[in-house]
Amino acid sequence: MRYLIDTNIFIYLSTDHGKFSPDVMAMLSEPDTLLYISNESVRELIVAYNNKGWGNKKWKTAEDMVRSIEETYFVEIFPIQKEVMYTYSRLRINYSQNHRDPSDHVIISHAMTLKIPLISSDTRFDFYRKQGLNLIFNEK
């Protein structure tokens, strides 16, 4: 099965498997599971590395971190195509929960455009199911 993982899921994958629910851990452990990550998540990870120091103990450079996404964790980085931007332009935003994060919206749009399930721990993502998001919620 193919899954797009949210930024927080990659962080758990690389640091703390204990933050996965049993169901999500079982999905990730299946031998035929293929994991993908949006370029937008990778951008967020680079920003976190450079600005917040996340991952500095694990990788020497942000470039090493990006390389390890595919080479160590076997998560394929998906480029953002213009079709994702069309989906993003039509996305109704979850203002009731003050969900204004454009990176989240791009990642959601990426999953919707590719028509693959998105694994996330973000409680505000449930709102987007009505618009076609196939969400697998990781309850930590």
Side-chain angles (χ1 to χ4, degrees):
M1 184 72 170
R2 300 177 338 143
Y3 302 101
L4 186 70
I5 59 171
D6 191 13
T7 312
N8 59 62
I9 299 301
F10 178 76
I11 290 170
Y12 304 156
L13 187 66
S14 65
T15 60
D16 187 359
H17 288 190
K19 295 213 176 182
F20 291 124
S21 68
D23 291 343
V24 168
M25 193 66 219
M27 281 184 247
L28 296 176
S29 301
E30 287 291 319
D32 62 340
T33 293
L34 299 173
L35 298 179
Y36 301 94
I37 193 167
S38 174
N39 270 7
E40 186 65 19
S41 288
V42 176
R43 187 195 63 76
E44 285 187 311
L45 291 165
I46 292 168
V47 168
Y49 183 93
N50 289 333
N51 293 341
K52 301 173 186 169
W54 177 83
N56 285 350
K57 293 179 181 164
K58 192 171 191 85
W59 298 285
K60 291 182 180 172
T61 66
E63 184 177 348
D64 289 341
M65 177 194 59
V66 172
R67 190 174 294 108
S68 77
I69 292 170
E70 290 188 318
E71 294 176 4
T72 304
Y73 297 97
F74 306 105
V75 177
E76 185 177 340
I77 300 170
F78 266 169
I80 298 172
Q81 305 293 345
K82 68 180 174 183
E83 291 79 11
V84 174
M85 292 294 101
Y86 289 131
T87 303
Y88 179 51
S89 71
R90 294 186 303 269
L91 195 67
R92 291 184 318 281
I93 305 303
N94 182 359
Y95 292 116
S96 65
Q97 291 182 298
N98 198 30
H99 188 216
R100 299 177 188 271
D101 185 336
S103 291
D104 283 352
H105 301 150
V106 170
I107 295 163
I108 289 164
S109 298
H110 211 162
M112 289 170 57
T113 302
L114 295 172
K115 296 181 177 24
I116 64 174
L118 173 64
I119 303 173
S120 179
S121 296
D122 194 320
T123 57
R124 297 169 299 180
F125 283 22
D126 191 56
F127 172 88
Y128 301 94
R129 289 181 197 257
K130 295 177 274 185
Q131 297 177 64
L133 177 64
N134 183 353
L135 176 67
I136 298 170
F137 182 67
N138 178 59
E139 190 166 347
K140 338 178 233 189

PDB file of all heavy atoms in Angstrom, residues 14-15 48-50 52-62 64-65 68 73:
ATOM      1  N   SER A  14      11.927   8.894  12.354  1.00  0.00           N
ATOM      2  CA  SER A  14      13.377   9.040  12.502  1.00  0.00           C
ATOM      3  C   SER A  14      13.828   9.192  13.953  1.00  0.00           C
ATOM      4  O   SER A  14      15.031   9.141  14.216  1.00  0.00           O
ATOM      5  CB  SER A  14      13.867  10.225  11.675  1.00  0.00           C
ATOM      6  OG  SER A  14      13.345  11.443  12.163  1.00  0.00           O
ATOM      7  N   THR A  15      12.880   9.390  14.885  1.00  0.00           N
ATOM      8  CA  THR A  15      13.304   9.636  16.263  1.00  0.00           C
ATOM      9  C   THR A  15      12.623   8.776  17.318  1.00  0.00           C
ATOM     10  O   THR A  15      13.262   8.393  18.291  1.00  0.00           O
ATOM     11  CB  THR A  15      13.070  11.114  16.654  1.00  0.00           C
ATOM     12  OG1 THR A  15      11.681  11.410  16.545  1.00  0.00           O
ATOM     13  CG2 THR A  15      13.891  12.060  15.807  1.00  0.00           C
ATOM     14  N   ALA A  48      13.244  23.401  10.036  1.00  0.00           N
ATOM     15  CA  ALA A  48      13.381  22.976  11.433  1.00  0.00           C
ATOM     16  C   ALA A  48      14.841  22.680  11.774  1.00  0.00           C
ATOM     17  O   ALA A  48      15.314  23.033  12.856  1.00  0.00           O
ATOM     18  CB  ALA A  48      12.514  21.747  11.707  1.00  0.00           C
ATOM     19  N   TYR A  49      15.541  22.064  10.858  1.00  0.00           N
ATOM     20  CA  TYR A  49      16.956  21.764  11.073  1.00  0.00           C
ATOM     21  C   TYR A  49      17.759  23.061  11.204  1.00  0.00           C
ATOM     22  O   TYR A  49      18.546  23.233  12.136  1.00  0.00           O
ATOM     23  CB  TYR A  49      17.504  20.922   9.913  1.00  0.00           C
ATOM     24  CG  TYR A  49      18.940  20.506  10.096  1.00  0.00           C
ATOM     25  CD1 TYR A  49      19.249  19.287  10.669  1.00  0.00           C
ATOM     26  CD2 TYR A  49      19.988  21.340   9.703  1.00  0.00           C
ATOM     27  CE1 TYR A  49      20.572  18.899  10.851  1.00  0.00           C
ATOM     28  CE2 TYR A  49      21.307  20.965   9.893  1.00  0.00           C
ATOM     29  CZ  TYR A  49      21.594  19.743  10.459  1.00  0.00           C
ATOM     30  OH  TYR A  49      22.900  19.369  10.653  1.00  0.00           O
ATOM     31  N   ASN A  50      17.540  23.985  10.271  1.00  0.00           N
ATOM     32  CA  ASN A  50      18.324  25.220  10.237  1.00  0.00           C
ATOM     33  C   ASN A  50      17.948  26.216  11.334  1.00  0.00           C
ATOM     34  O   ASN A  50      18.821  26.899  11.869  1.00  0.00           O
ATOM     35  CB  ASN A  50      18.192  25.900   8.871  1.00  0.00           C
ATOM     36  CG  ASN A  50      18.913  25.133   7.784  1.00  0.00           C
ATOM     37  OD1 ASN A  50      19.882  24.427   8.043  1.00  0.00           O
ATOM     38  ND2 ASN A  50      18.444  25.258   6.565  1.00  0.00           N
ATOM     39  N   LYS A  52      15.641  25.625  14.200  1.00  0.00           N
ATOM     40  CA  LYS A  52      15.309  25.133  15.531  1.00  0.00           C
ATOM     41  C   LYS A  52      16.301  24.108  16.051  1.00  0.00           C
ATOM     42  O   LYS A  52      16.211  23.685  17.192  1.00  0.00           O
ATOM     43  CB  LYS A  52      13.902  24.518  15.523  1.00  0.00           C
ATOM     44  CG  LYS A  52      12.816  25.486  15.111  1.00  0.00           C
ATOM     45  CD  LYS A  52      11.486  24.781  14.965  1.00  0.00           C
ATOM     46  CE  LYS A  52      10.439  25.737  14.408  1.00  0.00           C
ATOM     47  NZ  LYS A  52       9.230  25.056  14.025  1.00  0.00           N
ATOM     48  N   GLY A  53      17.200  23.681  15.185  1.00  0.00           N
ATOM     49  CA  GLY A  53      18.183  22.691  15.603  1.00  0.00           C
ATOM     50  C   GLY A  53      17.669  21.266  15.606  1.00  0.00           C
ATOM     51  O   GLY A  53      18.378  20.358  16.022  1.00  0.00           O
ATOM     52  N   TRP A  54      16.410  21.040  15.123  1.00  0.00           N
ATOM     53  CA  TRP A  54      15.891  19.679  15.095  1.00  0.00           C
ATOM     54  C   TRP A  54      16.765  18.831  14.177  1.00  0.00           C
ATOM     55  O   TRP A  54      17.065  19.218  13.052  1.00  0.00           O
ATOM     56  CB  TRP A  54      14.441  19.635  14.593  1.00  0.00           C
ATOM     57  CG  TRP A  54      13.979  18.220  14.523  1.00  0.00           C
ATOM     58  CD1 TRP A  54      13.497  17.477  15.544  1.00  0.00           C
ATOM     59  CD2 TRP A  54      14.024  17.356  13.388  1.00  0.00           C
ATOM     60  NE1 TRP A  54      13.228  16.201  15.119  1.00  0.00           N
ATOM     61  CE2 TRP A  54      13.552  16.101  13.800  1.00  0.00           C
ATOM     62  CE3 TRP A  54      14.427  17.508  12.072  1.00  0.00           C
ATOM     63  CZ2 TRP A  54      13.465  15.003  12.945  1.00  0.00           C
ATOM     64  CZ3 TRP A  54      14.343  16.429  11.212  1.00  0.00           C
ATOM     65  CH2 TRP A  54      13.855  15.197  11.653  1.00  0.00           C
ATOM     66  N   GLY A  55      17.199  17.703  14.648  1.00  0.00           N
ATOM     67  CA  GLY A  55      17.976  16.775  13.843  1.00  0.00           C
ATOM     68  C   GLY A  55      19.469  17.050  13.822  1.00  0.00           C
ATOM     69  O   GLY A  55      20.230  16.290  13.223  1.00  0.00           O
ATOM     70  N   ASN A  56      19.916  18.124  14.476  1.00  0.00           N
ATOM     71  CA  ASN A  56      21.346  18.449  14.459  1.00  0.00           C
ATOM     72  C   ASN A  56      22.214  17.363  15.097  1.00  0.00           C
ATOM     73  O   ASN A  56      23.373  17.220  14.733  1.00  0.00           O
ATOM     74  CB  ASN A  56      21.610  19.786  15.164  1.00  0.00           C
ATOM     75  CG  ASN A  56      21.191  20.973  14.322  1.00  0.00           C
ATOM     76  OD1 ASN A  56      20.867  20.847  13.151  1.00  0.00           O
ATOM     77  ND2 ASN A  56      21.185  22.131  14.937  1.00  0.00           N
ATOM     78  N   LYS A  57      21.649  16.616  16.029  1.00  0.00           N
ATOM     79  CA  LYS A  57      22.416  15.545  16.669  1.00  0.00           C
ATOM     80  C   LYS A  57      22.457  14.290  15.803  1.00  0.00           C
ATOM     81  O   LYS A  57      23.327  13.446  15.970  1.00  0.00           O
ATOM     82  CB  LYS A  57      21.830  15.226  18.047  1.00  0.00           C
ATOM     83  CG  LYS A  57      22.015  16.364  19.023  1.00  0.00           C
ATOM     84  CD  LYS A  57      21.406  16.059  20.362  1.00  0.00           C
ATOM     85  CE  LYS A  57      21.623  17.272  21.256  1.00  0.00           C
ATOM     86  NZ  LYS A  57      20.778  17.265  22.416  1.00  0.00           N
ATOM     87  N   LYS A  58      21.523  14.176  14.903  1.00  0.00           N
ATOM     88  CA  LYS A  58      21.419  12.986  14.063  1.00  0.00           C
ATOM     89  C   LYS A  58      22.184  13.138  12.739  1.00  0.00           C
ATOM     90  O   LYS A  58      22.758  12.185  12.241  1.00  0.00           O
ATOM     91  CB  LYS A  58      19.942  12.701  13.803  1.00  0.00           C
ATOM     92  CG  LYS A  58      19.677  11.353  13.203  1.00  0.00           C
ATOM     93  CD  LYS A  58      18.183  11.101  13.213  1.00  0.00           C
ATOM     94  CE  LYS A  58      17.861   9.695  12.878  1.00  0.00           C
ATOM     95  NZ  LYS A  58      17.900   8.772  13.991  1.00  0.00           N
ATOM     96  N   TRP A  59      22.139  14.342  12.165  1.00  0.00           N
ATOM     97  CA  TRP A  59      22.773  14.599  10.876  1.00  0.00           C
ATOM     98  C   TRP A  59      23.729  15.781  10.981  1.00  0.00           C
ATOM     99  O   TRP A  59      23.461  16.734  11.715  1.00  0.00           O
ATOM    100  CB  TRP A  59      21.709  14.899   9.812  1.00  0.00           C
ATOM    101  CG  TRP A  59      20.778  13.763   9.589  1.00  0.00           C
ATOM    102  CD1 TRP A  59      21.044  12.601   8.920  1.00  0.00           C
ATOM    103  CD2 TRP A  59      19.416  13.658  10.020  1.00  0.00           C
ATOM    104  NE1 TRP A  59      19.943  11.786   8.922  1.00  0.00           N
ATOM    105  CE2 TRP A  59      18.917  12.411   9.591  1.00  0.00           C
ATOM    106  CE3 TRP A  59      18.565  14.499  10.734  1.00  0.00           C
ATOM    107  CZ2 TRP A  59      17.621  11.985   9.841  1.00  0.00           C
ATOM    108  CZ3 TRP A  59      17.279  14.079  10.988  1.00  0.00           C
ATOM    109  CH2 TRP A  59      16.819  12.840  10.546  1.00  0.00           C
ATOM    110  N   LYS A  60      24.815  15.736  10.204  1.00  0.00           N
ATOM    111  CA  LYS A  60      25.794  16.828  10.231  1.00  0.00           C
ATOM    112  C   LYS A  60      25.299  18.065   9.493  1.00  0.00           C
ATOM    113  O   LYS A  60      25.651  19.185   9.852  1.00  0.00           O
ATOM    114  CB  LYS A  60      27.116  16.362   9.631  1.00  0.00           C
ATOM    115  CG  LYS A  60      27.819  15.357  10.505  1.00  0.00           C
ATOM    116  CD  LYS A  60      29.147  14.948   9.937  1.00  0.00           C
ATOM    117  CE  LYS A  60      29.762  13.933  10.894  1.00  0.00           C
ATOM    118  NZ  LYS A  60      30.942  13.321  10.414  1.00  0.00           N
ATOM    119  N   THR A  61      24.510  17.852   8.441  1.00  0.00           N
ATOM    120  CA  THR A  61      23.993  18.971   7.648  1.00  0.00           C
ATOM    121  C   THR A  61      22.542  18.698   7.270  1.00  0.00           C
ATOM    122  O   THR A  61      22.084  17.542   7.305  1.00  0.00           O
ATOM    123  CB  THR A  61      24.795  19.166   6.341  1.00  0.00           C
ATOM    124  OG1 THR A  61      24.579  18.019   5.499  1.00  0.00           O
ATOM    125  CG2 THR A  61      26.283  19.360   6.602  1.00  0.00           C
ATOM    126  N   ALA A  62      21.853  19.758   6.878  1.00  0.00           N
ATOM    127  CA  ALA A  62      20.484  19.598   6.385  1.00  0.00           C
ATOM    128  C   ALA A  62      20.485  18.739   5.119  1.00  0.00           C
ATOM    129  O   ALA A  62      19.575  17.942   4.890  1.00  0.00           O
ATOM    130  CB  ALA A  62      19.855  20.954   6.115  1.00  0.00           C
ATOM    131  N   ASP A  64      22.485  16.241   4.475  1.00  0.00           N
ATOM    132  CA  ASP A  64      22.571  14.845   4.931  1.00  0.00           C
ATOM    133  C   ASP A  64      21.195  14.331   5.342  1.00  0.00           C
ATOM    134  O   ASP A  64      20.832  13.187   5.058  1.00  0.00           O
ATOM    135  CB  ASP A  64      23.523  14.705   6.123  1.00  0.00           C
ATOM    136  CG  ASP A  64      24.980  14.886   5.750  1.00  0.00           C
ATOM    137  OD1 ASP A  64      25.327  14.774   4.560  1.00  0.00           O
ATOM    138  OD2 ASP A  64      25.778  15.163   6.673  1.00  0.00           O
ATOM    139  N   MET A  65      20.432  15.195   6.021  1.00  0.00           N
ATOM    140  CA  MET A  65      19.091  14.808   6.452  1.00  0.00           C
ATOM    141  C   MET A  65      18.216  14.506   5.237  1.00  0.00           C
ATOM    142  O   MET A  65      17.545  13.474   5.191  1.00  0.00           O
ATOM    143  CB  MET A  65      18.450  15.915   7.288  1.00  0.00           C
ATOM    144  CG  MET A  65      17.029  15.606   7.709  1.00  0.00           C
ATOM    145  SD  MET A  65      16.143  17.034   8.347  1.00  0.00           S
ATOM    146  CE  MET A  65      16.213  18.156   6.984  1.00  0.00           C
ATOM    147  N   SER A  68      19.098  11.284   3.651  1.00  0.00           N
ATOM    148  CA  SER A  68      18.734  10.111   4.450  1.00  0.00           C
ATOM    149  C   SER A  68      17.244   9.767   4.350  1.00  0.00           C
ATOM    150  O   SER A  68      16.863   8.625   4.604  1.00  0.00           O
ATOM    151  CB  SER A  68      19.133  10.302   5.911  1.00  0.00           C
ATOM    152  OG  SER A  68      18.238  11.151   6.573  1.00  0.00           O
ATOM    153  N   TYR A  73      15.715   5.897   5.289  1.00  0.00           N
ATOM    154  CA  TYR A  73      14.340   5.595   5.701  1.00  0.00           C
ATOM    155  C   TYR A  73      13.475   5.074   4.562  1.00  0.00           C
ATOM    156  O   TYR A  73      12.331   4.694   4.793  1.00  0.00           O
ATOM    157  CB  TYR A  73      13.707   6.827   6.367  1.00  0.00           C
ATOM    158  CG  TYR A  73      14.442   7.180   7.624  1.00  0.00           C
ATOM    159  CD1 TYR A  73      15.428   8.164   7.619  1.00  0.00           C
ATOM    160  CD2 TYR A  73      14.206   6.490   8.806  1.00  0.00           C
ATOM    161  CE1 TYR A  73      16.139   8.464   8.763  1.00  0.00           C
ATOM    162  CE2 TYR A  73      14.926   6.780   9.958  1.00  0.00           C
ATOM    163  CZ  TYR A  73      15.884   7.762   9.920  1.00  0.00           C
ATOM    164  OH  TYR A  73      16.597   8.053  11.053  1.00  0.00           O
TER     165      TYR A  73
END
